[in-house]
Amino acid sequence: MSEIFKEIPKIKYEGANSVNALSFKFYEPEKEVLGKPMKEHLRFAMAWWHNMCAGGADMFGTFTADKSFGAELNTMEHAYKKVDAAFEFMNKLSIDYFCFHDVDLIPEADDINITNARLDEISDYIKAKMLQYDKKLLWGTANLFSSPIYMNGAGSSNSAEVFCFAAAQIKKALDITVKLGGKGYVFWGGREGYDTLLNTDMKFELDNIARLMRMAVDYGRSIGFDGDFYIEPKPKEPTKHQYDYDAATAIGFLRQYGLDKDFKINVEANHATLAGHTFRHELRVAAINNMLGSIDANQGDLLLGWDTDEFPYDVYETTMCMYEVLKAGGLKNGGLNFDAKNRRPSNTYEDMFYAFILGMDAYALGLINAAKIIEDGRIEDFIDKRYKSYNEGIGSKITAGETSLEELFEIACKKGAPQPPMSGRQEQLLSIINQLLFS
Ligand code: XUL
Ligand code: CO
């Protein structure tokens, strides 16, 4: 098999002072941080759709990057070439995992039986490559948003026939996920939302989405899928109101429908900021509910305000992300999937490598910094101090559930108004973070 990225060598760690653009400056896969190799903390994944498929098309123009890999687009030959390219790419960048949608892998046929036969064929080839290169599947999913049949959603569609077709796609995507040993299955409800309530039965649509997810769980477990199902929240785009607005909304939905034991949250950085939250906030909400499953590691642009899916470079953000991940005890079945694409004018093969070097180094730095914050301990100590009134006296009775509104009434009336609480010290804490990041 001939090399596709011929000009690109295997990317190695060369240290912070290297001027070789095709090297890692901070990512050392085997280097231990807090007792675990970087690669195990980070579990980087390549997103098939952005890397092997997307060529930079946007609303105003067509492909700028050539992702044909020498084959005619939308043929099985092309599907095979994408597999060759993907494994060479992951191998050269030391990326251990990948993620896919069903239709990223093969050209979809008019007949679902032909599509499924193509999926069987290509997944045999992928499986062999995974063994050859020692690569793993982080998660699989079905694309239930691109085809015109999904214009009103999949589980939320007004058409029972569309619901049925979506179920068939999910079944097949689960089959392939299990065949390839994947430990995750994602639901990003691309068009599970609505644009106007004038034509929408919201309660019915939510019930139906839950029905579809329940069937997916039942089927997945019946074929031996022992990983996690994920909801990937997003507040808008493509629909105006997406049902999975943010982590809190998705968790409420999962609990309401009894799906919370099988599902976790796949938090995407760019979706968090679209929801008007920080990335950190979304990670924390998932973590405190024991539902921090996996991460789509990208970055948005606050000046643009749509889902730009940029490669992450903001080290402050990656630091805060990894701080949350470390505090949550790490990602078990999940990882950091670069759901990210090159900017449209960065249109060469080389740019694909620069993008991953940028993202992987940004997260390696984030991990190193987050470990420093934890080892330093001042931030956590301050938080403990801030709540210490609950460790004694009436505070400990409140947290133990051993008091009542009447008793608190009596105490408050006897004592009178309390002193205002201690300072939040926000600026001091921010300057500790800067000190740790830059010393
Ligand atoms: C879309 C998005 C998807 C999901 C998988 O915004 O993030 O690529 O990650 O369907
Ligand atoms: Co995503």
Side-chain angles (χ1 to χ4, degrees):
M1 193 201 71
S2 60
E3 246 184 315
I4 291 173
F5 306 106
K6 287 194 197 66
E7 269 77 66
I8 316 282
K10 192 163 165 82
I11 309 299
K12 301 211 180 70
Y13 169 75
E14 290 186 6
N17 296 324
S18 171
V19 290
N20 173 11
L22 289 169
S23 73
F24 293 120
K25 316 298 177 295
F26 303 100
Y27 182 54
E28 278 181 273
E30 305 297 338
K31 187 190 158 124
E32 299 228 333
V33 176
L34 298 178
K36 206 162 86 172
M38 274 190 175
K39 67 174 187 188
E40 282 177 32
H41 282 287
L42 297 166
R43 294 161 61 93
F44 288 130
M46 181 205 75
W48 210 275
W49 52 104
H50 285 312
N51 253 285
M52 295 304 131
C53 307
D58 67 12
M59 262 129 84
F60 304 98
T62 180
F63 277 24
T64 54
D66 177 9
K67 297 276 173 84
S68 68
F69 306 117
E72 193 184 326
L73 294 180
N74 298 319
T75 59
M76 276 307 275
E77 190 205 346
H78 183 223
Y80 278 94
K81 281 284 181 208
K82 288 197 287 188
V83 179
D84 293 341
F87 282 88
E88 187 188 324
F89 187 77
M90 288 188 276
N91 184 46
K92 286 187 167 167
L93 277 159
S94 304
I95 298 166
D96 292 332
Y97 297 85
F98 62 97
C99 302
F100 69 85
H101 301 84
D102 46 2
V103 301
D104 302 337
L105 301 181
I106 41 97
E108 201 180 358
D110 291 337
D111 179 345
I112 185 176
N113 298 296
I114 298 176
T115 303
N116 287 344
R118 289 177 181 171
L119 283 169
D120 290 337
E121 188 185 324
I122 208 73
S123 53
D124 284 343
Y125 190 56
I126 292 176
K127 199 172 171 180
K129 288 273 182 183
M130 288 170 73
L131 280 172
Q132 184 190 337
Y133 285 97
D134 191 22
K135 301 293 171 204
K136 293 183 257 321
L137 172 62
L138 191 69
W139 51 257
T141 187
N143 179 325
L144 307 178
F145 44 87
S146 295
S147 160
I149 66 168
Y150 295 122
M151 70 180 191
N152 295 336
S156 67
S157 179
N158 57 307
S159 159
E161 283 185 16
V162 170
F163 185 108
C164 173
F165 199 85
Q169 257 188 269
I170 292 170
K171 179 187 176 294
K172 192 68 191 173
L174 270 166
D175 287 338
I176 303 295
T177 299
V178 171
K179 173 174 169 181
L180 300 180
K183 292 284 178 203
Y185 185 88
V186 163
F187 281 84
W188 169 58
R191 296 186 196 272
E192 310 290 39
Y194 67 92
D195 291 318
T196 172
L197 280 176
L198 292 174
N199 66 14
T200 300
D201 184 338
M202 187 195 277
K203 167 86 168 68
F204 181 77
E205 293 196 358
L206 285 164
D207 288 350
N208 259 1
I209 294 170
R211 286 185 186 105
L212 190 57
M213 288 181 175
R214 167 51 54 203
M215 285 187 244
V217 169
D218 290 346
Y219 178 70
R221 298 307 181 212
S222 81
I223 58 164
F225 177 65
D226 60 359
D228 294 315
F229 289 88
Y230 303 119
I231 282 186
E232 183 179 319
K234 185 174 179 180
K236 57 188 169 193
E237 204 209 273
T239 66
K240 184 159 71 175
H241 299 274
Q242 301 260 153
Y243 291 130
D244 302 328
Y245 188 94
D246 60 2
T249 311
I251 290 167
F253 167 88
L254 291 170
R255 293 223 171 101
Q256 183 185 353
Y257 290 99
L259 292 161
D260 49 312
K261 300 286 171 289
D262 294 284
F263 273 81
K264 290 187 160 55
I265 304 296
N266 182 36
V267 178
E268 175 162 326
N270 204 164
H271 296 179
T273 46
L274 282 176
H277 299 307
T278 60
F279 183 21
R280 238 196 122 176
H281 168 91
E282 288 293 87
L283 294 163
R284 181 71 66 91
V285 169
I288 62 172
N289 286 284
N290 289 324
M291 284 200 204
L292 177 54
S294 199
I295 290 174
D296 270 10
N298 61 13
Q299 191 180 307
D301 185 323
L302 297 179
L303 296 182
L304 294 177
W306 66 84
D307 198 11
T308 54
D309 283 342
E310 300 181 25
F311 274 86
Y313 60 81
D314 184 333
V315 174
Y316 210 94
E317 288 295 307
T318 61
T319 298
M320 291 307 159
C321 169
M322 291 314 297
Y323 185 40
E324 292 302 320
V325 170
L326 290 176
K327 273 158 60 89
L331 300 168
K332 193 171 149 259
N333 287 327
L336 297 177
N337 168 44
F338 287 109
D339 187 359
K341 58 188 173 199
N342 283 100
R343 297 305 85 198
R344 194 164 184 264
S346 303
N347 62 343
T348 70
Y349 284 167
E350 239 173 287
D351 289 302
M352 293 166 65
F353 285 83
Y354 292 141
F356 272 79
I357 290 169
L358 172 69
M360 291 164 82
D361 269 343
Y363 266 94
L365 275 169
L367 172 63
I368 293 165
N369 289 333
K372 278 194 205 166
I373 298 172
I374 286 176
E375 278 172 335
D376 176 80
R378 277 177 288 173
I379 300 290
E380 290 304 310
D381 285 351
F382 181 80
I383 293 174
D384 286 348
K385 204 160 92 196
R386 191 157 176 261
Y387 294 95
K388 88 171 185 329
S389 65
Y390 286 92
N391 297 339
E392 61 209 6
I394 195 60
S396 53
K397 282 180 90 177
I398 293 172
T399 53
E402 285 165 359
T403 184
S404 64
L405 213 56
E406 295 95 311
E407 188 187 22
L408 297 179
F409 177 85
E410 269 172 38
I411 295 171
C413 292
K414 202 151 84 198
K415 282 194 161 176
Q419 293 298 309
M422 67 183 279
S423 160
R425 297 265 187 268
Q426 186 166 330
E427 296 76 7
Q428 188 205 342
L429 299 172
L430 286 165
S431 85
I432 291 175
I433 299 289
N434 277 356
Q435 179 196 11
L436 293 171
L437 256 61
F438 296 103
S439 59

